[in-house]
Amino acid sequence: MHFQIPKQQWTKMEEYLEGLPQEELGEGMKQSDYLDLMEQILEGYDLSDTVDPNKDLQTYSRLVSVLACLLANGRKEEWKTLFCEMMTKACGVLPEYEGNTMLDFAVKELMFAYRFMKENDINGDWAKMLSSVTTEQYVYPSGEHHNINLYNVAGEALRTTEGLCDSAEYCKECLVLQLAKLDENGMYPDNYPAEQNPVLYDLASRFQLQLIEHFGRAPFDERLRRAGVWSLMTQSATGQIPYGGRSNQYLFNETLLASVLEYEAGKQAEDGNFVLAGRMRRGARLAVESIQEFLNCHSHNRNRYADSKVGCEEYGYYEKYMISAAAFLIGTVLFAREDLPEYPAPCEVGGYVLYTSPKFHQIFAAVCDYSIQIDTDGDPSYDATGLGRIHKIGIPASLGLSVPFSGNPRYHLPQECSPLSAAIGIGWDDGEGGVQYLSDLMGIKHALSIEEEKKDKLKFTVTYTGNVLKNCGGVMESYSLDEGGLRYSAKLLESECKAVYARVPLLVTDGERESRIKQKAGQTNVYLDDCRWRITTNASLIPDEVVTGNRNGVYKIVTLVRLEPKIRLNLSLCRENEEE
């Protein structure tokens, strides 16, 4: 099966990667490092009284698989008896989960546990119970049904590999349908349930495909190789996966990225691409290092609230998604090549602008320790259209912006917040007595023009057009990014508007730390610990502020106005003791 590749962009990426610094940075992550992290996460659970497998097999099975992985690697020996009891209990409830998606997720986890610890299945009870599962029990037994099908196919691949069934034909049939979905970058678009292809779902789906490939069920190297490079190139300056859609900003996002990159590092090494493999190993390190501060404050997503629901969807509760961060690290234990040293990752060097296929509608730019991300068609239930991320190496990700703001979020906001659709970007008089903001718009057309792409500077424009625009023929945003930060300007096309606006977020709190905000004419500074977010502008500040929030915390949204059809902002992040 073949798919069309945007040759110009891929050629540019290949040339860029070849031109990155070639010096080794030292050893990569060791298996023991990943096991330490898994153990740290698991120790936050009381395994004797945490989850009832009759009510939540998905969570329970991940606890079992993580414990099995640790035991198989000489950890937590004192919990071996408890593991055997949990494994028996989990396998015993499998018949009760027919027609429940928890089964689709759980079989893979229990098969991991079986693979790690099958010598303890003295009477063959686990094997017998795991063999009794049939594909008809799954809610999503067809490849036409989204990423959940890939989870159960991964479980079937493991059952087949371990000789507990023969699902080879089932896996083959599902994969024919699933692989046809991959876009030109090898990314997996999953609009389940009828949403705009969440970025996390691409990553999670490709991890299942890697497992299926690893256990010998299908050869599709070309797709995964290209998508693996894409994941490396779109990692932010702070080590995060891209934002976009549901299930974002949980800590398991980055442990999943680490597993994906470790797998692809091994494959690149097999092909003789040792330096690229080392860059992927470096990306895996950056990913897991980015979550450590939140583990230390017992959070399962990227904020510091004692209320574990803040920033989370209803399904994203602590018990399930904290252990998921450890469960997705199983891939790193399986795949990590400790003999491969690290080389600088693209997000540490920068000098490029990239764009996804229209199915994911994202633009990325990285240079001089900065990275930014733009969503050209934001999902209103989670994000907003426009500039939604600006990160810098060494600066807290939430101080500038990690994700936009939703006017109708499907995740919990802090109590004091009012929902508001917002990104960093322009608004204008709509001709009907109100203001239309780019961040509110969906189904809008865009065009990207890259004007300058150097190691120390990037310049590009994004032009939006479409019938949804009121009182203007288009909006042109200009971006210039270098060591001084981002210079952003936006203007209206074919418009008689006499005023334009811009919204900028100011962090108030991440749930634990409070920022300090100082404002004066033409300049706003936000301080968090010893770091600063600075906004300078040619516009005037409108006194009214809206207190809203995203997954990371509470923000004030300030509105700026300029009495002409163009507005400018300079945005920068730094430590307070750094020179301007």
Side-chain angles (χ1 to χ4, degrees), residues 173-217:
E173 290 176 359
C174 290
L175 288 171
V176 167
L177 295 171
Q178 292 284 19
L179 293 175
K181 296 181 180 181
L182 297 178
D183 74 3
E184 55 263 41
N185 296 310
M187 296 176 67
Y188 182 91
D190 186 350
N191 63 347
Y192 171 81
E195 292 170 356
Q196 293 190 337
N197 300 327
V199 174
L200 183 278
Y201 281 34
D202 157 59
L203 197 65
S205 300
R206 283 192 284 118
F207 178 55
Q208 310 315 314
L209 290 172
Q210 288 174 333
L211 291 171
I212 295 163
E213 180 181 72
H214 178 71
F215 292 112
R217 293 302 102 197

Side-chain angles (χ1 to χ4, degrees), residues 2 14 18 25 53 75 80 106 150 187 203 332 344 346 376 378-379 388 390 430 453 462 486 519 538 576:
H2 299 282
E14 291 169 352
E18 290 176 0
L25 298 178
R75 310 284 185 106
K80 185 174 180 179
L150 286 174
M187 296 176 67
L203 197 65
T332 64
T376 60
D379 185 333
I390 177 167
D430 64 7
E453 198 170 16
V462 183
L486 175 64
Q519 293 176 295
N538 67 340
E576 287 188 66

Side-chain angles (χ1 to χ4, degrees), residues 134-206:
T134 66
T135 57
E136 286 76 18
Q137 287 180 254
Y138 295 130
V139 175
Y140 293 111
S142 166
E144 297 178 0
H145 288 291
H146 313 296
N147 76 96
I148 297 177
N149 170 251
L150 286 174
Y151 279 86
N152 73 52
V153 172
E156 291 305 301
L158 269 163
R159 286 208 307 151
T160 300
T161 299
E162 291 297 322
L164 301 186
C165 71
D166 183 2
S167 293
E169 192 61 31
Y170 171 80
C171 293
K172 180 179 178 180
E173 290 176 359
C174 290
L175 288 171
V176 167
L177 295 171
Q178 292 284 19
L179 293 175
K181 296 181 180 181
L182 297 178
D183 74 3
E184 55 263 41
N185 296 310
M187 296 176 67
Y188 182 91
D190 186 350
N191 63 347
Y192 171 81
E195 292 170 356
Q196 293 190 337
N197 300 327
V199 174
L200 183 278
Y201 281 34
D202 157 59
L203 197 65
S205 300
R206 283 192 284 118

Side-chain angles (χ1 to χ4, degrees), residues 57-69 83 87 90-91 94 97 100-117 129-131 133-135 138 147-162 164-165 167 170-171 200-201 203-215 217 252 255-256 259-260 321 323-332 334-335:
L57 183 60
Q58 183 178 353
T59 300
Y60 196 85
S61 65
R62 288 179 177 174
L63 288 165
V64 170
S65 66
V66 169
L67 182 51
C69 183
F83 161 77
M87 181 67 170
C91 292
L94 290 174
Y97 275 88
N100 187 316
T101 56
M102 287 189 181
L103 181 72
D104 297 62
F105 291 111
V107 169
K108 181 195 76 175
E109 303 296 339
L110 295 179
M111 284 306 306
F112 272 142
Y114 178 79
R115 184 178 177 87
F116 285 130
M117 296 292 289
M129 289 184 284
L130 287 165
S131 297
V133 175
T134 66
T135 57
Y138 295 130
N147 76 96
I148 297 177
N149 170 251
L150 286 174
Y151 279 86
N152 73 52
V153 172
E156 291 305 301
L158 269 163
R159 286 208 307 151
T160 300
T161 299
E162 291 297 322
L164 301 186
C165 71
S167 293
Y170 171 80
C171 293
L200 183 278
Y201 281 34
L203 197 65
S205 300
R206 283 192 284 118
F207 178 55
Q208 310 315 314
L209 290 172
Q210 288 174 333
L211 291 171
I212 295 163
E213 180 181 72
H214 178 71
F215 292 112
R217 293 302 102 197
F252 77 80
T255 63
L256 188 55
S259 281
V260 166
Y321 272 180
I323 195 59
S324 295
F328 285 127
L329 283 170
I330 289 175
T332 64
L334 291 174
F335 305 143

Side-chain angles (χ1 to χ4, degrees), residues 552-578:
N552 307 125
V554 177
Y555 290 77
K556 288 182 179 179
I557 305 296
V558 297
T559 303
L560 304 162
V561 61
R562 180 75 176 174
L563 298 179
E564 61 173 314
K566 184 175 182 178
I567 196 165
R568 294 196 303 272
L569 303 171
N570 295 334
L571 308 167
S572 64
L573 292 159
C574 72
R575 296 199 175 275
E576 287 188 66
N577 59 1
E578 292 178 351

Side-chain angles (χ1 to χ4, degrees), residues 268-282:
Q268 292 292 345
E270 288 177 10
D271 292 339
N273 302 322
F274 296 106
V275 175
L276 179 54
R279 301 195 195 287
M280 289 180 165
R281 296 215 69 209
R282 179 68 174 176

